[in-house]
Amino acid sequence: MQKIPKNRGLKNTSLLSAKIGFNVFVFFYLIAGPVVFAADAQQTKPATDDRPKVAVVLSGGGAKGFAHIGVLKVLEEEGIPIDIIVGTSMGSLVGGIYSIGYNASQIEDLVKSLNWEKTITDEVPRLFQSKYQQELKQRYFLSLPISEKKEIKLPRGLMKGQNVLNIFCGLAGEVPANADFSQFPVSFACVAADLETGDEVVIDRGFLPAAMYSSMAIPIAFQPSERDGQLLVDGGIVNNFPTDVAKRMGADIIIGVDIRNDYYGQDELKSISSVLNQLISFFDKDKDAVNKSYCDVIIRPDITGYSVSSFNRRAADTLISRGEEAALDVVAQLQKMKAEYNLQPRQPIYNFVKPEDWHITKVNYNGSYYLSNDFIANTFGLELPGNYSADDIKNGIDRIYGLGGFKKVFYYLENNDEGKTLNINIESEKVFTQNFGFKVNTTDAAAILINTTQRNYRNIFGLFSVNGELSVNPGLDVTIETNRTKFPTAGLSFNGKYQNINIYQEADKLFKTSLFFTSAGIYFYQPFFKRYYFGAGIREEYFNGDLFSKEGSFQLEEDKINMFLTNAYVYLSYDNMDDFYFPTKGTSMKTRFSLLGDLEDKKEICPALYFQMKNVIPAWQESSWLFDIYARALLNTNYPDVKMTMIGGESYTQYFDYHLPFIGLPAVNIGQEYVYIGMLGYRFHMSDSQYITLLANGLLQDSDWLLREDSEFIYGGGVRYSLKTILGPLDATLGFSNAVDKPTFAASFGYWF
């Protein structure tokens, strides 16, 4: 298999080993994003033999590095030619992008186009995650890897850099995969640190996206970059202002841009973060004095009020402006230098700037993976030949990575006789994780969910998952799946659950039932058209405990049940919601047809039809319209009593997959054979994490599918407060309906399961 070309460094310089652990408090240095620019065809760098070479050196500093962009804008406006650009960490990202032909204004547009919360993580959009990956993200707030010794271990870093690296790949799509950075429109080098030895590593050739990632891979926050047998991390711990590197590259004039904080005084060292920042700044203290001496001009933007983690639009606007202001403060020096050395503006070179799209005629899948190429190609989802943008390619990469079980998936492009060859590098990994979720609600009290998941594409059954619920309603679920080829995913499922259920009629609790049920089944499903799933299965179910039933509008007395039931089903689903709990747009739909029967005793088969559709429509200023439909029909009067329709409560209080939510009714009411529910809501986005939703719903039910004048109609509604937290959503709903005399209240905290 073809492998991605590796970076090679300029040289290694031994330095005092740094105490890298302190960097856990230093956050995510990024700057890139998918923005499209046109390409030009100038191929040669202008000669500089008749004038001094000018270098710009950009220090590290996290989000404060937005200020670098403002400085570069002024240098361009003043006609200062830049022959060499060198950076560390955030400076390497700005410098690397600038070096291949993007100007400062274009980089500013890149910065302001990013969703920083999503960019700095490894999470791909929900639209591109597999069904199982979606369930994992929706249920668990904590995931810890397990070693081969079956011990919980901590990873090398919290994030792998999946999204960051692929954004860089898009921006550098025209750059050769094994490039000599000195041949860029502006010669470039960046600094990383060897995690094993503490040595400085200067990178001036190789795969540019990997080089930039290596320089900004903050220890603990990001996993190290692997290169030529080395583990590389953020260069800021060894050389955060690398003017000496620019000097060795032949710079005659050096303009340094320093966004680091000054050393704190005693009166400022009043917190853990200030003490740690102070200690980190000591790491390259000796070298820093020498590096500053190499500068002909030092520009120090005002970064007061912002930190390394201030990645947001407001910070970008302010810091870019402050960078411009700081550069304008030294514009007299710049103009004097320009006149003294007869410096003239460089002509822009755009041959490395990405075009609007590429004509891709071939795709190579490289690396270590155990899925069939047909399955990977089908998941990637781009037909060849075709014209595709960086965004299109990133979406395809996300679909592959969204399957789960990969360390990284990234790409580079090469020329061929007919267009471009897209090389996708896939690094599989054996995933063995322990996941934890919890919930507290007014129906089930408290519950803890513990999950063990193993995903290994080397095995025929690549997915093995066990869920255990610890609560007054304990449960166990086992799932085994295989999906290595383009054929449908096939799986086995086993589950058992003990459930206490309060049965209501109107506002009165009639009785409390206890039911044990378990099942074993086989199933398959197949995605198509990227958003649809078709599936089918059969399972044998067993129920033991209290029985409750309803005939017409009259509640029957409680009885006992001890029975087996066969359930064969097919379903069709569609889901393009951008989030499970707080979507801003999209539709989720599922329709299921089941054949239910106690074959041993009754020899009767009851068809059942279930339909659910949820719609979220963007409205005014981040508010949204919500429109939901639920329906269930039992198409035979001889249906198993245990499969009668349940109605009431919120979505998080559904006990079975035939339990329909209804605002204003207690959690479990027994419905008739045909039930139709419609819900309309308007959700206000009050702040970054708070929501208020106004809700209204109506219900029609009857024993006949043709609704009659005397069909039962219930209406209701309510108001819901929601808070988004790292432990899951907090919901509280006050509801009412014409079927109960007093308001209902439901509340939940934690992920739903």
Side-chain angles (χ1 to χ4, degrees), residues 375 378 481-491 523-527 533-536:
F375 179 80
N378 186 60
E481 283 188 359
T482 178
N483 63 345
R484 295 175 58 180
T485 69
K486 64 179 180 181
F487 296 107
T489 296
Y523 62 88
F524 76 88
Y525 60 86
Q526 176 69 47
Y533 281 89
F534 172 78

Side-chain angles (χ1 to χ4, degrees), residues 366-393:
N366 313 313
S368 59
Y369 61 95
Y370 304 93
L371 301 170
S372 71
N373 280 356
D374 286 341
F375 179 80
I376 292 289
N378 186 60
T379 303
F380 186 58
L382 301 186
E383 296 183 1
L384 299 182
N387 294 334
Y388 297 106
S389 67
D391 286 346
D392 295 329
I393 298 172

